[in-house]
Amino acid sequence: MVRVGILGLTGCSGCQCEILNCEDAIISLLGRVDFSFFPLAKDSNSIKNLDILFVEGSVSSELDEELVKKGRENSKLLVAIGSCACYGGVQAQRNDEVSLEEMIREVYGEKGVPIKVFKAKPLREVVKVDYELPGCPLDKKQFIYAVSFLLNGIRP
């Protein structure tokens, strides 16, 4: 059984929702795939010893960075899914226009945020990424093809 994880970082969870919208295809995968880590879809999760980890969202906080590094350490393959994971997404569009301090002040006011945040960046700037499936949200057919290929040892 192939152990698969789906991790969401800073983003809208749209890619994860697209994966959940693959109902029939997901059901047919259940005989070969154990979704060991998918917090959006199930309560009991383990990020350890994954064969494939799909990651949605940009790295925009210390927590995001810790999670994606832990995921990379515990997976054989890491696949960035969606434009946020591949390019930084919508949250990275103004990175070059204003300072982080200005962004935080505009969104959260003078009190700021209680966590360490930084300008959004794609996964590849933090960890080794084996494959990327861009899109906003990702195309669910591409996701199913990628999973099928990887399950059969074929490079997507």
Side-chain angles (χ1 to χ4, degrees):
M1 183 90 53
V2 176
R3 292 175 51 87
V4 172
I6 313 282
L7 171 62
L9 303 176
T10 297
C12 69
S13 301
C15 294
Q16 293 180 79
C17 289
E18 280 299 292
I19 292 168
L20 290 171
N21 284 334
C22 298
E23 298 112 347
D24 294 339
I26 295 275
I27 289 170
S28 69
L29 290 174
L30 291 178
R32 296 189 60 201
V33 172
D34 172 20
F35 286 96
S36 303
F37 185 82
F38 196 174
L40 187 71
K42 57 184 250 174
D43 291 331
S44 178
N45 292 283
S46 174
I47 200 163
K48 300 221 183 265
N49 302 316
L50 297 173
D51 294 299
I52 308 166
L53 177 62
F54 294 92
V55 183
E56 168 196 53
S58 67
V59 181
S60 301
S61 70
E62 225 171 39
L63 178 60
D64 287 343
E65 191 168 323
E66 289 170 18
L67 283 170
V68 77
K69 284 180 177 179
K70 183 177 182 179
R72 176 74 263 190
E73 290 170 10
N74 285 284
S75 60
K76 294 175 185 168
L77 290 174
L78 188 142
V79 181
I81 56 173
S83 294
C84 294
C86 296
Y87 312 118
V90 172
Q91 54 272 34
Q93 286 181 337
R94 296 195 64 204
N95 275 355
D96 296 331
E97 296 176 22
V98 296
S99 71
L100 179 62
E101 293 76 24
E102 289 175 275
M103 286 188 229
I104 291 172
R105 192 172 38 255
E106 178 69 25
V107 175
Y108 298 100
E110 294 301 321
K111 290 184 181 180
V113 289
I115 59 171
K116 180 146 172 59
V117 297
F118 36 80
K119 290 189 174 188
K121 53 189 165 191
L123 301 183
R124 71 175 110 64
E125 290 186 21
V126 178
V127 296
K128 178 182 181 262
V129 173
D130 298 296
Y131 301 105
E132 293 183 340
L133 293 174
C136 187
L138 89 154
D139 183 287
K140 61 186 179 183
K141 287 181 184 175
Q142 282 188 340
F143 172 77
I144 294 300
Y145 288 141
V147 171
S148 300
F149 284 12
L150 292 170
L151 289 176
N152 290 297
I154 301 168
R155 183 180 174 182

